[in-house]
Amino acid sequence: FLGLLSAWVATVSGFSLLTVPPLLHHGQPSTTRLPASPIEFIEPSYNLALGAFGVGLVGGALEDVRQPNSAKLPTAQLFGGIALVFTLFAGFLTFQTTTLRFTFDDENFSLVKNDGSSIGENIKVGGENSWSYNSFENWDFLPSTDFPILVYFKEHQTPIENRAEAPIVVDELEGQAHFFPAIANAQQMQQAFVKHDCKKLK
Protein backbone atom coordinates (compact mmCIF):
# COMPACT_ATOMS: atom_id res chain seq x y z
CA PHE A 1 0.00 0.00 0.00
CA LEU A 2 2.77 2.42 0.91
CA GLY A 3 4.48 1.75 -2.40
CA LEU A 4 1.30 2.54 -4.33
CA LEU A 5 0.71 5.65 -2.24
CA SER A 6 4.28 6.83 -2.76
CA ALA A 7 3.90 6.40 -6.51
CA TRP A 8 0.72 8.45 -6.46
CA VAL A 9 2.23 11.20 -4.33
CA ALA A 10 5.20 11.34 -6.69
CA THR A 11 2.84 11.61 -9.62
CA VAL A 12 0.84 14.44 -8.10
CA SER A 13 4.10 16.23 -7.31
CA GLY A 14 5.11 16.02 -10.97
CA PHE A 15 8.23 13.89 -10.46
CA SER A 16 6.84 10.53 -11.54
CA LEU A 17 6.51 8.99 -14.97
CA LEU A 18 3.22 7.34 -14.11
CA THR A 19 0.53 8.00 -16.68
CA VAL A 20 -2.22 9.91 -14.93
CA PRO A 21 -5.20 11.99 -16.01
CA PRO A 22 -4.55 15.73 -16.14
CA LEU A 23 -6.67 18.16 -14.19
CA LEU A 24 -9.40 19.76 -16.26
CA HIS A 25 -8.92 23.42 -17.07
CA HIS A 26 -11.96 25.65 -16.95
CA GLY A 27 -12.46 27.97 -19.88
CA GLN A 28 -10.84 25.58 -22.35
CA PRO A 29 -13.72 23.81 -24.13
CA SER A 30 -12.93 20.42 -25.64
CA THR A 31 -13.15 20.08 -29.39
CA THR A 32 -12.38 16.37 -29.66
CA ARG A 33 -14.79 13.53 -29.04
CA LEU A 34 -14.46 9.78 -29.25
CA PRO A 35 -15.78 8.01 -32.37
CA ALA A 36 -19.57 7.77 -32.47
CA SER A 37 -20.43 4.23 -31.35
CA PRO A 38 -22.16 2.56 -28.41
CA ILE A 39 -20.18 3.65 -25.35
CA GLU A 40 -20.30 2.07 -21.92
CA PHE A 41 -19.54 4.52 -19.13
CA ILE A 42 -18.09 2.89 -16.02
CA GLU A 43 -19.82 4.05 -12.86
CA PRO A 44 -17.72 6.32 -10.65
CA SER A 45 -16.58 5.10 -7.26
CA TYR A 46 -15.75 7.42 -4.37
CA ASN A 47 -14.35 4.59 -2.22
CA LEU A 48 -10.75 5.66 -2.78
CA ALA A 49 -11.51 9.28 -1.89
CA LEU A 50 -13.45 8.22 1.21
CA GLY A 51 -10.61 5.92 2.28
CA ALA A 52 -8.08 8.73 1.94
CA PHE A 53 -10.36 11.06 3.90
CA GLY A 54 -10.73 8.41 6.61
CA VAL A 55 -6.95 8.15 6.97
CA GLY A 56 -6.85 11.94 7.23
CA LEU A 57 -9.44 11.89 10.03
CA VAL A 58 -7.50 9.25 11.94
CA GLY A 59 -4.32 11.26 11.52
CA GLY A 60 -6.08 14.35 12.83
CA ALA A 61 -7.39 12.48 15.86
CA LEU A 62 -3.97 11.03 16.68
CA GLU A 63 -2.40 14.47 16.26
CA ASP A 64 -4.54 15.75 19.13
CA VAL A 65 -3.73 12.93 21.58
CA ARG A 66 -2.26 14.47 24.72
CA GLN A 67 -0.11 13.41 27.63
CA PRO A 68 -1.29 13.64 31.29
CA ASN A 69 0.18 17.14 31.47
CA SER A 70 -2.00 18.18 28.50
CA ALA A 71 1.02 18.47 26.20
CA LYS A 72 0.76 16.86 22.78
CA LEU A 73 2.75 13.72 22.03
CA PRO A 74 6.07 13.98 20.16
CA THR A 75 4.32 12.31 17.20
CA ALA A 76 1.75 15.13 16.90
CA GLN A 77 3.57 16.85 14.04
CA LEU A 78 3.87 13.60 12.11
CA PHE A 79 0.20 12.75 12.45
CA GLY A 80 -0.75 16.34 11.66
CA GLY A 81 1.20 16.09 8.42
CA ILE A 82 -0.49 12.80 7.58
CA ALA A 83 -3.89 14.35 8.22
CA LEU A 84 -3.15 17.28 5.93
CA VAL A 85 -1.70 15.19 3.09
CA PHE A 86 -4.52 12.64 3.06
CA THR A 87 -7.25 15.25 3.36
CA LEU A 88 -5.87 17.15 0.37
CA PHE A 89 -5.42 13.87 -1.49
CA ALA A 90 -9.07 12.97 -0.78
CA GLY A 91 -10.15 16.29 -2.27
CA PHE A 92 -8.05 15.67 -5.37
CA LEU A 93 -9.53 12.18 -5.79
CA THR A 94 -13.05 13.51 -5.31
CA PHE A 95 -12.49 16.05 -8.07
CA GLN A 96 -11.13 13.37 -10.42
CA THR A 97 -13.95 10.97 -9.61
CA THR A 98 -16.56 13.64 -10.31
CA THR A 99 -15.10 15.00 -13.55
CA LEU A 100 -13.60 11.94 -15.29
CA ARG A 101 -14.98 8.67 -16.62
CA PHE A 102 -13.56 5.42 -17.98
CA THR A 103 -15.40 4.24 -21.10
CA PHE A 104 -15.50 1.22 -23.38
CA ASP A 105 -16.79 1.40 -26.96
CA ASP A 106 -16.60 -1.12 -29.80
CA GLU A 107 -12.85 -0.72 -30.25
CA ASN A 108 -11.27 1.34 -27.47
CA PHE A 109 -10.81 1.80 -23.75
CA SER A 110 -10.69 5.52 -22.93
CA LEU A 111 -10.45 8.11 -20.21
CA VAL A 112 -12.75 11.07 -20.89
CA LYS A 113 -14.61 13.90 -19.19
CA ASN A 114 -17.88 13.02 -17.53
CA ASP A 115 -19.79 14.28 -20.58
CA GLY A 116 -17.86 11.94 -22.90
CA SER A 117 -15.62 14.61 -24.43
CA SER A 118 -11.86 14.25 -24.73
CA ILE A 119 -9.51 15.39 -21.96
CA GLY A 120 -6.82 16.05 -24.56
CA GLU A 121 -3.45 14.42 -25.04
CA ASN A 122 -1.85 12.24 -22.42
CA ILE A 123 0.43 14.45 -20.31
CA LYS A 124 3.26 11.91 -20.16
CA VAL A 125 3.47 10.07 -23.48
CA GLY A 126 1.26 12.17 -25.77
CA GLY A 127 -1.62 11.00 -27.91
CA GLU A 128 -5.29 10.71 -27.09
CA ASN A 129 -6.21 8.94 -23.84
CA SER A 130 -7.82 6.11 -25.82
CA TRP A 131 -6.32 2.67 -26.46
CA SER A 132 -7.48 -0.12 -28.77
CA TYR A 133 -8.28 -3.45 -27.15
CA ASN A 134 -5.94 -5.33 -29.47
CA SER A 135 -3.02 -3.22 -28.19
CA PHE A 136 -3.39 -4.52 -24.63
CA GLU A 137 -0.62 -6.69 -23.20
CA ASN A 138 -1.87 -6.87 -19.61
CA TRP A 139 -4.27 -5.25 -17.15
CA ASP A 140 -4.95 -5.52 -13.43
CA PHE A 141 -6.06 -3.73 -10.28
CA LEU A 142 -3.49 -2.93 -7.60
CA PRO A 143 -3.25 -4.28 -5.02
CA SER A 144 -6.39 -6.33 -5.90
CA THR A 145 -9.85 -6.13 -7.47
CA ASP A 146 -11.43 -6.27 -4.02
CA PHE A 147 -9.23 -3.42 -2.75
CA PRO A 148 -8.41 -1.35 -5.83
CA ILE A 149 -6.15 1.68 -5.46
CA LEU A 150 -4.72 1.81 -8.99
CA VAL A 151 -5.97 0.59 -12.36
CA TYR A 152 -3.03 -0.80 -14.34
CA PHE A 153 -2.66 -1.76 -17.97
CA LYS A 154 0.13 -2.06 -20.51
CA GLU A 155 -0.24 -1.51 -24.25
CA HIS A 156 1.93 -1.42 -27.35
CA GLN A 157 -0.06 1.31 -29.12
CA THR A 158 2.20 4.10 -27.83
CA PRO A 159 5.20 4.53 -30.19
CA ILE A 160 8.45 3.27 -28.71
CA GLU A 161 10.06 6.70 -28.94
CA ASN A 162 7.26 8.21 -26.83
CA ARG A 163 7.23 5.60 -24.07
CA ALA A 164 8.10 6.57 -20.50
CA GLU A 165 9.47 4.32 -17.80
CA ALA A 166 7.12 3.75 -14.87
CA PRO A 167 8.43 3.51 -11.29
CA ILE A 168 6.25 0.49 -10.51
CA VAL A 169 7.12 -2.70 -12.43
CA VAL A 170 4.13 -5.05 -12.60
CA ASP A 171 5.36 -7.30 -15.42
CA GLU A 172 8.26 -7.59 -17.85
CA LEU A 173 6.15 -7.31 -20.99
CA GLU A 174 7.03 -4.87 -23.75
CA GLY A 175 4.87 -1.77 -23.98
CA GLN A 176 3.83 1.39 -22.20
CA ALA A 177 2.56 0.96 -18.63
CA HIS A 178 -0.32 3.13 -17.40
CA PHE A 179 -1.55 3.68 -13.86
CA PHE A 180 -4.78 5.46 -13.02
CA PRO A 181 -6.44 5.95 -9.64
CA ALA A 182 -9.31 3.52 -9.07
CA ILE A 183 -12.00 6.18 -9.30
CA ALA A 184 -14.49 3.85 -11.00
CA ASN A 185 -16.37 0.65 -10.19
CA ALA A 186 -13.62 -1.99 -10.35
CA GLN A 187 -16.01 -4.93 -10.77
CA GLN A 188 -17.77 -3.27 -13.70
CA MET A 189 -14.45 -2.35 -15.28
CA GLN A 190 -13.12 -5.87 -14.87
CA GLN A 191 -16.21 -7.26 -16.61
CA ALA A 192 -15.69 -4.81 -19.48
CA PHE A 193 -12.00 -5.78 -19.88
CA VAL A 194 -13.04 -9.44 -20.08
CA LYS A 195 -15.98 -8.72 -22.38
CA HIS A 196 -13.73 -6.97 -24.90
CA ASP A 197 -11.04 -9.71 -24.75
CA CYS A 198 -8.31 -7.42 -23.41
CA LYS A 199 -5.16 -9.51 -23.04
CA LYS A 200 -4.20 -10.34 -19.46
CA LEU A 201 -1.46 -12.40 -17.90
CA LYS A 202 -2.77 -15.43 -16.02
mmCIF file of all heavy atoms in Angstrom, residues 18-49:
data_model
loop_
_atom_site.group_PDB
_atom_site.id
_atom_site.type_symbol
_atom_site.label_atom_id
_atom_site.label_comp_id
_atom_site.label_asym_id
_atom_site.label_seq_id
_atom_site.Cartn_x
_atom_site.Cartn_y
_atom_site.Cartn_z
ATOM 1 N N LEU A 18 4.493 8.036 -14.017
ATOM 2 C CA LEU A 18 3.221 7.345 -14.114
ATOM 3 C C LEU A 18 2.329 8.094 -15.083
ATOM 4 O O LEU A 18 2.364 9.305 -15.184
ATOM 5 C CB LEU A 18 2.521 7.306 -12.751
ATOM 6 C CG LEU A 18 3.114 6.410 -11.671
ATOM 7 C CD1 LEU A 18 2.291 6.541 -10.403
ATOM 8 C CD2 LEU A 18 3.123 4.970 -12.122
ATOM 9 N N THR A 19 1.488 7.369 -15.788
ATOM 10 C CA THR A 19 0.534 8.000 -16.679
ATOM 11 C C THR A 19 -0.727 8.281 -15.889
ATOM 12 O O THR A 19 -1.396 7.377 -15.448
ATOM 13 C CB THR A 19 0.215 7.073 -17.858
ATOM 14 O OG1 THR A 19 1.429 6.766 -18.522
ATOM 15 C CG2 THR A 19 -0.748 7.731 -18.815
ATOM 16 N N VAL A 20 -1.066 9.551 -15.720
ATOM 17 C CA VAL A 20 -2.224 9.912 -14.926
ATOM 18 C C VAL A 20 -3.045 10.931 -15.685
ATOM 19 O O VAL A 20 -2.554 11.644 -16.550
ATOM 20 C CB VAL A 20 -1.811 10.516 -13.563
ATOM 21 C CG1 VAL A 20 -1.082 9.502 -12.735
ATOM 22 C CG2 VAL A 20 -0.961 11.761 -13.747
ATOM 23 N N PRO A 21 -4.351 11.018 -15.344
ATOM 24 C CA PRO A 21 -5.200 11.992 -16.014
ATOM 25 C C PRO A 21 -4.870 13.402 -15.587
ATOM 26 O O PRO A 21 -4.655 13.647 -14.398
ATOM 27 C CB PRO A 21 -6.612 11.602 -15.550
ATOM 28 C CG PRO A 21 -6.394 10.913 -14.249
ATOM 29 C CD PRO A 21 -5.078 10.190 -14.403
ATOM 30 N N PRO A 22 -4.824 14.343 -16.505
ATOM 31 C CA PRO A 22 -4.551 15.728 -16.142
ATOM 32 C C PRO A 22 -5.768 16.370 -15.519
ATOM 33 O O PRO A 22 -6.895 15.962 -15.753
ATOM 34 C CB PRO A 22 -4.245 16.372 -17.499
ATOM 35 C CG PRO A 22 -5.045 15.579 -18.472
ATOM 36 C CD PRO A 22 -5.014 14.163 -17.955
ATOM 37 N N LEU A 23 -5.563 17.398 -14.722
ATOM 38 C CA LEU A 23 -6.672 18.155 -14.193
ATOM 39 C C LEU A 23 -7.356 18.892 -15.336
ATOM 40 O O LEU A 23 -6.735 19.283 -16.307
ATOM 41 C CB LEU A 23 -6.178 19.169 -13.155
ATOM 42 C CG LEU A 23 -5.605 18.574 -11.871
ATOM 43 C CD1 LEU A 23 -5.043 19.710 -11.003
ATOM 44 C CD2 LEU A 23 -6.679 17.839 -11.097
ATOM 45 N N LEU A 24 -8.652 19.067 -15.216
ATOM 46 C CA LEU A 24 -9.400 19.756 -16.260
ATOM 47 C C LEU A 24 -9.255 21.257 -16.067
ATOM 48 O O LEU A 24 -9.248 21.767 -14.953
ATOM 49 C CB LEU A 24 -10.878 19.358 -16.169
ATOM 50 C CG LEU A 24 -11.139 17.845 -16.246
ATOM 51 C CD1 LEU A 24 -12.638 17.592 -16.188
ATOM 52 C CD2 LEU A 24 -10.550 17.266 -17.527
ATOM 53 N N HIS A 25 -9.122 21.973 -17.140
ATOM 54 C CA HIS A 25 -8.921 23.417 -17.067
ATOM 55 C C HIS A 25 -10.198 24.118 -17.504
ATOM 56 O O HIS A 25 -10.691 23.922 -18.613
ATOM 57 C CB HIS A 25 -7.768 23.845 -17.987
ATOM 58 C CG HIS A 25 -6.468 23.226 -17.592
ATOM 59 N ND1 HIS A 25 -5.723 23.684 -16.531
ATOM 60 C CD2 HIS A 25 -5.793 22.160 -18.101
ATOM 61 C CE1 HIS A 25 -4.630 22.962 -16.409
ATOM 62 N NE2 HIS A 25 -4.654 22.029 -17.344
ATOM 63 N N HIS A 26 -10.741 24.917 -16.618
ATOM 64 C CA HIS A 26 -11.963 25.650 -16.948
ATOM 65 C C HIS A 26 -11.652 26.712 -17.998
ATOM 66 O O HIS A 26 -10.584 27.301 -18.015
ATOM 67 C CB HIS A 26 -12.524 26.302 -15.691
ATOM 68 C CG HIS A 26 -12.936 25.291 -14.654
ATOM 69 N ND1 HIS A 26 -13.989 24.428 -14.843
ATOM 70 C CD2 HIS A 26 -12.411 24.992 -13.435
ATOM 71 C CE1 HIS A 26 -14.121 23.665 -13.781
ATOM 72 N NE2 HIS A 26 -13.164 23.973 -12.915
ATOM 73 N N GLY A 27 -12.626 26.939 -18.866
ATOM 74 C CA GLY A 27 -12.461 27.970 -19.879
ATOM 75 C C GLY A 27 -11.760 27.475 -21.120
ATOM 76 O O GLY A 27 -11.476 28.244 -22.015
ATOM 77 N N GLN A 28 -11.470 26.151 -21.175
ATOM 78 C CA GLN A 28 -10.843 25.579 -22.352
ATOM 79 C C GLN A 28 -11.743 24.476 -22.887
ATOM 80 O O GLN A 28 -11.581 23.307 -22.552
ATOM 81 C CB GLN A 28 -9.465 25.011 -22.008
ATOM 82 C CG GLN A 28 -8.473 26.071 -21.557
ATOM 83 C CD GLN A 28 -7.127 25.472 -21.249
ATOM 84 O OE1 GLN A 28 -6.908 24.276 -21.396
ATOM 85 N NE2 GLN A 28 -6.192 26.299 -20.825
ATOM 86 N N PRO A 29 -12.760 24.794 -23.663
ATOM 87 C CA PRO A 29 -13.721 23.807 -24.132
ATOM 88 C C PRO A 29 -13.051 22.757 -25.008
ATOM 89 O O PRO A 29 -12.138 23.039 -25.765
ATOM 90 C CB PRO A 29 -14.733 24.647 -24.938
ATOM 91 C CG PRO A 29 -13.955 25.868 -25.343
ATOM 92 C CD PRO A 29 -13.019 26.143 -24.203
ATOM 93 N N SER A 30 -13.499 21.513 -24.859
ATOM 94 C CA SER A 30 -12.932 20.420 -25.643
ATOM 95 C C SER A 30 -13.515 20.439 -27.054
ATOM 96 O O SER A 30 -14.682 20.744 -27.263
ATOM 97 C CB SER A 30 -13.267 19.085 -24.962
ATOM 98 O OG SER A 30 -12.908 18.022 -25.794
ATOM 99 N N THR A 31 -12.692 20.121 -27.999
ATOM 100 C CA THR A 31 -13.147 20.084 -29.391
ATOM 101 C C THR A 31 -13.045 18.681 -29.965
ATOM 102 O O THR A 31 -13.414 18.454 -31.101
ATOM 103 C CB THR A 31 -12.289 21.031 -30.264
ATOM 104 O OG1 THR A 31 -10.911 20.649 -30.150
ATOM 105 C CG2 THR A 31 -12.446 22.467 -29.785
ATOM 106 N N THR A 32 -12.560 17.730 -29.171
ATOM 107 C CA THR A 32 -12.381 16.373 -29.663
ATOM 108 C C THR A 32 -13.302 15.423 -28.924
ATOM 109 O O THR A 32 -13.407 15.475 -27.710
ATOM 110 C CB THR A 32 -10.929 15.891 -29.459
ATOM 111 O OG1 THR A 32 -10.061 16.853 -30.038
ATOM 112 C CG2 THR A 32 -10.717 14.521 -30.074
ATOM 113 N N ARG A 33 -13.949 14.542 -29.657
ATOM 114 C CA ARG A 33 -14.795 13.531 -29.045
ATOM 115 C C ARG A 33 -14.406 12.160 -29.583
ATOM 116 O O ARG A 33 -13.829 12.035 -30.660
ATOM 117 C CB ARG A 33 -16.286 13.784 -29.325
ATOM 118 C CG ARG A 33 -16.850 14.932 -28.500
ATOM 119 C CD ARG A 33 -18.351 15.060 -28.704
ATOM 120 N NE ARG A 33 -18.916 16.057 -27.809
ATOM 121 C CZ ARG A 33 -19.360 15.795 -26.596
ATOM 122 N NH1 ARG A 33 -19.272 14.561 -26.117
ATOM 123 N NH2 ARG A 33 -19.862 16.748 -25.851
ATOM 124 N N LEU A 34 -14.742 11.142 -28.817
ATOM 125 C CA LEU A 34 -14.457 9.782 -29.253
ATOM 126 C C LEU A 34 -15.356 9.429 -30.432
ATOM 127 O O LEU A 34 -16.412 10.037 -30.640
ATOM 128 C CB LEU A 34 -14.698 8.805 -28.093
ATOM 129 C CG LEU A 34 -13.791 9.012 -26.881
ATOM 130 C CD1 LEU A 34 -14.170 8.037 -25.775
ATOM 131 C CD2 LEU A 34 -12.342 8.815 -27.267
ATOM 132 N N PRO A 35 -14.972 8.419 -31.225
ATOM 133 C CA PRO A 35 -15.782 8.014 -32.366
ATOM 134 C C PRO A 35 -17.201 7.671 -31.942
ATOM 135 O O PRO A 35 -17.423 7.098 -30.867
ATOM 136 C CB PRO A 35 -15.036 6.768 -32.874
ATOM 137 C CG PRO A 35 -13.641 6.945 -32.405
ATOM 138 C CD PRO A 35 -13.740 7.639 -31.091
ATOM 139 N N ALA A 36 -18.176 8.042 -32.788
ATOM 140 C CA ALA A 36 -19.571 7.765 -32.473
ATOM 141 C C ALA A 36 -19.830 6.270 -32.554
ATOM 142 O O ALA A 36 -19.758 5.659 -33.610
ATOM 143 C CB ALA A 36 -20.481 8.516 -33.445
ATOM 144 N N SER A 37 -20.120 5.647 -31.443
ATOM 145 C CA SER A 37 -20.432 4.228 -31.355
ATOM 146 C C SER A 37 -20.978 3.985 -29.964
ATOM 147 O O SER A 37 -20.844 4.830 -29.083
ATOM 148 C CB SER A 37 -19.180 3.377 -31.612
ATOM 149 O OG SER A 37 -18.192 3.646 -30.650
ATOM 150 N N PRO A 38 -21.633 2.842 -29.750
ATOM 151 C CA PRO A 38 -22.161 2.560 -28.410
ATOM 152 C C PRO A 38 -21.041 2.621 -27.377
ATOM 153 O O PRO A 38 -20.034 1.932 -27.474
ATOM 154 C CB PRO A 38 -22.718 1.140 -28.552
ATOM 155 C CG PRO A 38 -23.008 0.979 -30.015
ATOM 156 C CD PRO A 38 -21.932 1.765 -30.711
ATOM 157 N N ILE A 39 -21.213 3.463 -26.363
ATOM 158 C CA ILE A 39 -20.177 3.652 -25.353
ATOM 159 C C ILE A 39 -20.711 3.257 -23.983
ATOM 160 O O ILE A 39 -21.790 3.688 -23.582
ATOM 161 C CB ILE A 39 -19.698 5.119 -25.318
ATOM 162 C CG1 ILE A 39 -19.070 5.505 -26.663
ATOM 163 C CG2 ILE A 39 -18.694 5.339 -24.196
ATOM 164 C CD1 ILE A 39 -18.636 6.956 -26.727
ATOM 165 N N GLU A 40 -19.957 2.445 -23.287
ATOM 166 C CA GLU A 40 -20.297 2.067 -21.924
ATOM 167 C C GLU A 40 -19.492 2.940 -20.963
ATOM 168 O O GLU A 40 -18.261 2.910 -20.964
ATOM 169 C CB GLU A 40 -19.974 0.591 -21.669
ATOM 170 C CG GLU A 40 -20.239 0.166 -20.225
ATOM 171 C CD GLU A 40 -19.836 -1.261 -19.947
ATOM 172 O OE1 GLU A 40 -19.275 -1.908 -20.858
ATOM 173 O OE2 GLU A 40 -20.078 -1.725 -18.816
ATOM 174 N N PHE A 41 -20.187 3.702 -20.141
ATOM 175 C CA PHE A 41 -19.544 4.519 -19.128
ATOM 176 C C PHE A 41 -19.462 3.717 -17.833
ATOM 177 O O PHE A 41 -20.473 3.230 -17.342
ATOM 178 C CB PHE A 41 -20.335 5.807 -18.886
ATOM 179 C CG PHE A 41 -20.125 6.876 -19.909
ATOM 180 C CD1 PHE A 41 -20.709 6.779 -21.165
ATOM 181 C CD2 PHE A 41 -19.344 7.981 -19.626
ATOM 182 C CE1 PHE A 41 -20.523 7.762 -22.119
ATOM 183 C CE2 PHE A 41 -19.143 8.982 -20.571
ATOM 184 C CZ PHE A 41 -19.736 8.869 -21.829
ATOM 185 N N ILE A 42 -18.262 3.591 -17.290
ATOM 186 C CA ILE A 42 -18.093 2.888 -16.024
ATOM 187 C C ILE A 42 -18.534 3.803 -14.886
ATOM 188 O O ILE A 42 -18.190 4.979 -14.841
ATOM 189 C CB ILE A 42 -16.630 2.462 -15.815
ATOM 190 C CG1 ILE A 42 -16.169 1.588 -16.987
ATOM 191 C CG2 ILE A 42 -16.481 1.716 -14.494
ATOM 192 C CD1 ILE A 42 -16.963 0.315 -17.189
ATOM 193 N N GLU A 43 -19.312 3.260 -13.971
ATOM 194 C CA GLU A 43 -19.824 4.054 -12.860
ATOM 195 C C GLU A 43 -18.680 4.568 -11.982
ATOM 196 O O GLU A 43 -17.726 3.842 -11.715
ATOM 197 C CB GLU A 43 -20.776 3.214 -12.006
ATOM 198 C CG GLU A 43 -22.020 2.744 -12.736
ATOM 199 C CD GLU A 43 -22.866 1.823 -11.873
ATOM 200 O OE1 GLU A 43 -22.418 1.507 -10.740
ATOM 201 O OE2 GLU A 43 -23.944 1.410 -12.329
ATOM 202 N N PRO A 44 -18.778 5.800 -11.533
ATOM 203 C CA PRO A 44 -17.723 6.324 -10.654
ATOM 204 C C PRO A 44 -17.777 5.663 -9.282
ATOM 205 O O PRO A 44 -18.825 5.187 -8.850
ATOM 206 C CB PRO A 44 -18.058 7.817 -10.564
ATOM 207 C CG PRO A 44 -19.543 7.875 -10.797
ATOM 208 C CD PRO A 44 -19.829 6.797 -11.811
ATOM 209 N N SER A 45 -16.653 5.630 -8.617
ATOM 210 C CA SER A 45 -16.583 5.097 -7.258
ATOM 211 C C SER A 45 -15.791 6.077 -6.391
ATOM 212 O O SER A 45 -14.647 6.411 -6.714
ATOM 213 C CB SER A 45 -15.898 3.721 -7.239
ATOM 214 O OG SER A 45 -15.663 3.297 -5.913
ATOM 215 N N TYR A 46 -16.400 6.487 -5.290
ATOM 216 C CA TYR A 46 -15.750 7.417 -4.371
ATOM 217 C C TYR A 46 -15.067 6.690 -3.216
ATOM 218 O O TYR A 46 -14.632 7.325 -2.250
ATOM 219 C CB TYR A 46 -16.772 8.414 -3.830
ATOM 220 C CG TYR A 46 -17.240 9.416 -4.857
ATOM 221 C CD1 TYR A 46 -18.333 9.146 -5.676
ATOM 222 C CD2 TYR A 46 -16.569 10.627 -5.033
ATOM 223 C CE1 TYR A 46 -18.745 10.052 -6.639
ATOM 224 C CE2 TYR A 46 -16.985 11.545 -5.986
ATOM 225 C CZ TYR A 46 -18.082 11.254 -6.779
ATOM 226 O OH TYR A 46 -18.492 12.160 -7.730
ATOM 227 N N ASN A 47 -14.955 5.367 -3.310
ATOM 228 C CA ASN A 47 -14.353 4.595 -2.225
ATOM 229 C C ASN A 47 -12.922 5.030 -1.919
ATOM 230 O O ASN A 47 -12.521 5.130 -0.754
ATOM 231 C CB ASN A 47 -14.379 3.105 -2.553
ATOM 232 C CG ASN A 47 -15.787 2.527 -2.529
ATOM 233 O OD1 ASN A 47 -16.698 3.135 -1.961
ATOM 234 N ND2 ASN A 47 -15.978 1.377 -3.144
ATOM 235 N N LEU A 48 -12.145 5.272 -2.974
ATOM 236 C CA LEU A 48 -10.755 5.661 -2.776
ATOM 237 C C LEU A 48 -10.665 7.024 -2.090
ATOM 238 O O LEU A 48 -9.861 7.220 -1.169
ATOM 239 C CB LEU A 48 -10.025 5.685 -4.118
ATOM 240 C CG LEU A 48 -8.501 5.784 -4.078
ATOM 241 C CD1 LEU A 48 -7.896 4.626 -3.302
ATOM 242 C CD2 LEU A 48 -7.939 5.804 -5.503
ATOM 243 N N ALA A 49 -11.498 7.952 -2.508
ATOM 244 C CA ALA A 49 -11.515 9.277 -1.886
ATOM 245 C C ALA A 49 -11.955 9.191 -0.431
ATOM 246 O O ALA A 49 -11.372 9.837 0.452
ATOM 247 C CB ALA A 49 -12.438 10.209 -2.664
#
